[in-house]
Amino acid sequence: MHSMLGGCKQALESEIVSIQLHHWIDLIFGYRQRGPEAVRATNVFYYLTYDGSVNLEAITDPILREVLKC
């Protein structure tokens, strides 16, 4: 287990990660998170995975509302 953690730490501190980090940040938090840039970067997911994609207050079925909360 200890060697696995050491390997992960070494990988995360590598030069390739340092070089690519800003691209990954754009995918997760930046302009490539949604919209046309996300499509170009193949960074799109099922619509229910996006926060705010469903108005839970408008759902009258309590079971469906509870399921969609998750």
Side-chain angles (χ1 to χ4, degrees):
M1 179 77 155
H2 180 66
S3 64
M4 185 182 107
L5 292 177
C8 288
K9 180 182 177 193
Q10 186 178 13
L12 288 171
E13 293 175 348
S14 70
E15 185 176 345
I16 189 71
V17 170
S18 295
I19 291 169
Q20 297 294 324
L21 187 60
H22 68 283
H23 295 294
W24 298 333
I25 289 171
D26 285 341
L27 290 174
I28 304 301
F29 303 108
Y31 71 101
R32 290 183 180 168
Q33 183 181 23
R34 293 187 182 186
E37 288 297 327
V39 173
R40 280 190 209 82
T42 316
N43 189 41
V44 293
F45 302 93
Y46 187 63
Y47 78 100
L48 290 177
T49 62
Y50 293 102
D51 187 41
S53 63
V54 176
N55 179 1
L56 294 174
E57 300 299 320
I59 299 172
T60 57
D61 181 340
I63 295 171
L64 180 58
R65 185 174 47 245
E66 192 62 32
V67 167
L68 291 174
K69 276 185 183 179
C70 301

